[in-house]
């Protein structure tokens, strides 16, 4: 398979019945693109030169809309949870850093097996950078996968860890805030209608009172809440999350939650209009992003405070009309531990490295690709190796940064290897969805989600091609 050219894409659009003659391309009478065409568009969105990539990304979103696949906010579902209309389920939010189209196809297959639509595709700012996969490209991979697998309905795309850099904020607060605002604009344009605001990095535990410790965090979260409400698309209420305990540090306490919410709600009241507030809270309950790696490269056992999760979630629902607590850094936990999250009433869990590990360590992955991953990581990121860190620890923690140079080799992987890895991923997602108790949720999702089709702007390259 090869990337499409701009001329190829124009021909494809004509082939499926897109009207290119009017003032704007019209998909209303178009047919679903055939499988081979979807595959080609997805590859083009990931690998082509910028102008052609932009047209492929646009075409994928428009074709998805035409097929009833719509980026959506999970806000209504979380408010329904806060109101007690559903419980005992933990929404898996999955960071899929590379090989995204194929991995997302495995997600949708697992969802169809279990009649589930209650899952989120998310991306952190750092992931978009080190994998060289901007939000528009990531969203296109997800939507193309949904289209390819015959999915219909809402697709939840989430910006994970829209995080304030504490040092940059201290040096120039206004510049750091503007930087994050620009990032949010880009994410919303891509259809990421759930955003996790993370100003927990500026929490100062040296201050005398818990309220003062959380004050700047709460003030910044209120600012970004107002900002997002001012730019969200008409008809879309973006789901927002806050973070009060930085993952991997001290465990969060109920006192910290109440102190944060007190300042946050006071700040929101100052903003006048009754703007919807955050609907969930990320806390630290004992986990680490990526797990805690031992010197031999294996993972240490992690003690998750499930009682804390339940306590925080209960306070969120009863006192603040929020859905509950969010668990980070959990994808490398064993199934016996993950299965405890729904019982602890965690509303959402963020999962990342486990999927990455499965792909990179899969026995079907060609050895030549594994060698490329290792060679690139040691040749280009060795300066990031921590003091006392073994090679095994360094490689485990850092190899994710090879995705930016591994896109093409993964697309060119032999078909039998691709099939084997996708089957294993589907099994992992099936297990994850079972542990999170999100099977049989299609009706719940459809009944509690408003679909708003936000048309993406027509790329300038396509405008020129149509005029020629």
């Amino acid at each position: 398979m090869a990337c499409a050219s701009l001329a190829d894409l124009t021909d494809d659009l004509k082939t499926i019945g897109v009207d290119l003659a009017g003032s704007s391309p019209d998909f209303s009478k178009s047919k679903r693109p055939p499988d081979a065409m979807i595959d080609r568009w997805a590859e083009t969105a990931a690998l082509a030169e910028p102008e052609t990539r932009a047209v492929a990304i646009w075409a994928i979103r428009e074709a998805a809309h035409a097929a009833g696949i719509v980026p959506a906010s999970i806000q209504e579902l979380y408010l329904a949870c806060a109101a007690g209309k559903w419980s005992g389920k933990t929404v898996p939010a999955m960071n899929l850093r590379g090989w995204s189209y194929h991995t997302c196809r495995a997600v949708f297959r697992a969802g169809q097996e279990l009649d589930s639509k209650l899952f989120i595709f998310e991306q952190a700012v750092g992931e978009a950078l080190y994998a060289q996969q901007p939000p528009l490209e990531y969203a296109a991979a997800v939507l193309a996968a949904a289209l390819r697998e015959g999915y219909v309905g809402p697709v939840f795309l989430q910006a994970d860890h829209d995080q304030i850099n504490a040092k940059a904020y201290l040096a120039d607060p206004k510049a750091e805030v503007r930087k994050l605002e620009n990032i949010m604009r880009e994410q919303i344009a891509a259809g990421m209608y759930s955003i996790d605001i993370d100003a927990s990095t500026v929490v100062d535990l040296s201050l005398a009172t818990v309220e003062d410790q959380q004050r700047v965090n709460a003030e910044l979260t209120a600012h970004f809440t107002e900002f997002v409400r001012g730019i969200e698309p008409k008809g879309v209420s973006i789901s927002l999350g806050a973070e009060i305990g930085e993952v991997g540090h001290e465990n969060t306490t109920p006192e910290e939650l109440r102190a944060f919410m007190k300042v946050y709600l006071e700040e929101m009241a100052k903003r006048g209009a009754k703007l919807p507030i955050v609907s969930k809270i990320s806390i630290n309950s004992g986990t680490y992003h990526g797990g805690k790696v031992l010197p031999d490269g294996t993972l240490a056992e992690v003690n998750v405070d499930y009682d804390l999760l339940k306590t925080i979630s209960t306070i969120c629902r009863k006192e603040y009309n929020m859905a509950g607590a969010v668990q980070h850094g959990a994808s490398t936990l064993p199934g016996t531990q993950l299965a405890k999250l729904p019982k602890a009433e965690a509303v959402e869990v963020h999962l990342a490295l486990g999927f990455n590990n499965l792909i990179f360590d899969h026995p079907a992955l060609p050895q030549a690709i594994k060698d490329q991953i290792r060679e690139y990581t040691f040749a280009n990121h060795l300066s990031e190796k921590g003091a006392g860190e073994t090679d095994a620890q360094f490689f485990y923690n850092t190899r994710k940064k090879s995705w930016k140079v591994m896109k093409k080799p993964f697309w060119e992987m032999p078909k039998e290897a691709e099939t084997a890895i996708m089957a294993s991923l589907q099994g992992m997602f099936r297990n994850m969805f079972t542990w999170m108790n999100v099977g049989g949720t299609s009706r719940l999702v459809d009944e509690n989600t408003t679909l708003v089709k936000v048309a993406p702007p027509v790329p300038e390259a396509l405008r020129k091609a149509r005029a020629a």
Side-chain angles (χ1 to χ4, degrees):
M1 188 193 311
C3 292
S5 67
L6 189 53
D8 291 335
L9 288 171
T10 304
D11 288 343
D12 284 347
L13 294 171
K14 292 175 182 176
T15 298
I16 63 172
V18 177
D19 184 357
L20 297 176
S23 58
S24 183
D26 183 3
F27 277 74
S28 62
K29 296 179 181 178
S30 66
K31 299 176 293 185
R32 174 191 178 275
D35 290 350
M37 188 180 291
I38 298 170
D39 291 344
R40 187 166 64 250
W41 288 6
E43 183 180 9
T44 303
L47 298 179
E49 50 80 26
E51 284 194 342
T52 306
R53 181 181 299 188
V55 174
I57 289 170
W58 168 86
I60 288 167
R61 184 157 172 180
E62 287 283 28
H65 282 173
I69 303 163
V70 185
S73 170
I74 204 167
Q75 173 81 346
E76 292 171 85
L77 271 162
Y78 279 0
L79 292 181
C81 176
K85 295 180 180 178
W86 62 272
S87 62
K89 304 178 189 302
T90 301
V91 181
M94 299 164 290
N95 299 62
L96 307 175
R97 294 158 173 167
W99 211 44
S100 302
Y101 172 62
H102 299 81
T103 305
C104 292
R105 287 180 62 189
V107 172
F108 286 111
R109 289 178 182 180
Q112 288 167 342
E113 280 190 86
L114 299 175
D115 183 34
S116 176
K117 293 183 179 179
L118 192 55
F119 45 83
I120 293 171
F121 298 90
E122 70 176 358
Q123 182 187 54
V125 177
E127 292 167 331
L129 294 173
Y130 68 65
Q132 287 187 2
Q133 185 177 220
L136 279 169
E137 181 184 325
Y138 181 63
V142 176
L143 296 175
L147 189 61
R148 181 69 159 78
E149 297 302 326
Y151 177 91
V152 176
V155 172
F156 303 118
L157 295 162
Q158 179 162 284
D160 178 30
H161 282 307
D162 275 5
Q163 188 176 77
I164 287 287
N165 181 301
K167 288 184 179 178
Y169 182 79
L170 185 63
D172 191 338
K174 290 182 179 179
E176 180 64 10
V177 167
R178 283 196 304 270
K179 176 184 173 183
L180 205 50
E181 288 174 348
N182 289 334
I183 288 170
M184 289 177 177
R185 286 191 181 94
E186 181 182 3
Q187 292 163 338
I188 293 170
M192 291 184 172
Y193 298 150
S194 298
I195 294 177
D196 282 353
I197 302 163
D198 181 9
S200 65
T201 51
V202 298
V203 170
D204 187 350
L205 298 179
S206 70
L207 297 177
T209 69
V210 177
E211 198 171 303
D212 284 339
Q213 291 169 10
Q214 291 288 337
R215 183 170 302 282
V216 180
N217 179 14
E219 290 171 348
L220 284 168
T221 304
H223 169 83
F224 288 117
T225 301
E226 182 182 32
F227 173 76
V228 169
R229 297 293 173 226
I231 65 170
E232 61 192 0
K234 185 178 180 181
V236 176
S237 180
I238 288 177
S239 172
L240 294 174
E243 186 155 337
I244 53 174
E246 193 172 359
V247 178
H249 293 258
E250 300 296 322
N251 277 15
T252 305
T253 67
E255 183 184 12
E256 287 172 331
L257 168 62
R258 290 190 172 103
F260 171 87
M261 288 304 296
K262 180 177 183 294
V263 178
Y264 173 71
L265 292 174
E266 288 172 353
E267 287 296 314
M268 291 302 297
K270 291 176 186 177
R271 284 157 169 78
K274 292 185 178 180
L275 300 174
I277 65 168
V278 295
S279 57
K280 60 185 179 180
I281 293 285
S282 292
I283 66 170
N284 190 44
S285 60
T287 59
Y288 297 79
H289 281 126
K292 197 165 187 178
V293 189
L294 298 174
D296 64 356
T298 61
L299 292 171
E301 290 187 17
V302 177
N303 294 316
V304 181
D305 193 336
Y306 296 100
D307 290 337
L308 173 64
L309 281 168
K310 191 161 190 174
T311 297
I312 296 290
S313 288
T314 299
I315 294 171
C316 284
R317 291 165 186 161
K318 289 186 175 180
E319 299 182 22
Y320 302 110
N321 193 38
M322 295 190 297
V326 177
Q327 173 69 56
H328 284 257
S331 65
T332 55
L333 294 177
T336 50
Q337 284 188 272
L338 287 166
K340 295 179 181 179
L341 292 174
K343 297 174 184 176
E345 299 294 340
V347 70
E348 184 178 304
V349 58
H350 290 206
L351 305 158
L353 200 61
F355 312 128
N356 198 100
N357 291 348
L358 183 151
I359 295 169
F360 280 0
D361 295 330
H362 199 283
L365 185 67
Q367 188 60 45
I369 292 181
K370 291 181 178 179
D371 291 344
Q372 280 182 267
I373 293 167
R374 186 173 186 86
E375 288 165 8
Y376 172 84
T377 303
F378 278 90
N380 293 274
H381 295 282
L382 198 55
S383 62
E384 300 170 29
K385 188 176 180 182
E389 192 176 36
T390 65
D391 282 355
Q393 287 172 310
F394 162 74
F395 184 57
Y396 178 91
N397 286 324
T398 315
R399 61 181 176 173
K400 62 189 179 183
K401 295 185 178 181
S402 69
W403 273 121
K404 62 176 171 286
V405 298
M406 297 309 301
K407 286 184 185 182
K408 196 168 187 288
F410 267 82
W411 270 98
E412 295 174 345
M413 187 192 310
K415 189 69 178 178
E416 58 271 20
E418 172 188 301
T419 300
I421 299 171
M422 285 178 67
S424 296
L425 283 166
Q426 184 176 342
M428 177 178 271
F429 293 127
R430 185 194 310 118
N431 289 339
M432 200 69 70
F433 293 174
T434 300
W435 294 326
M436 296 304 103
N437 195 31
V438 295
T441 54
S442 291
R443 183 175 178 181
L444 172 70
V445 169
D446 289 339
E447 290 180 349
N448 289 277
T449 310
T450 299
L451 300 185
V452 179
K453 295 179 181 178
V454 180
V458 179
E460 188 59 31
L462 183 59
R463 291 187 186 278
K464 292 177 181 176
R466 290 168 63 222

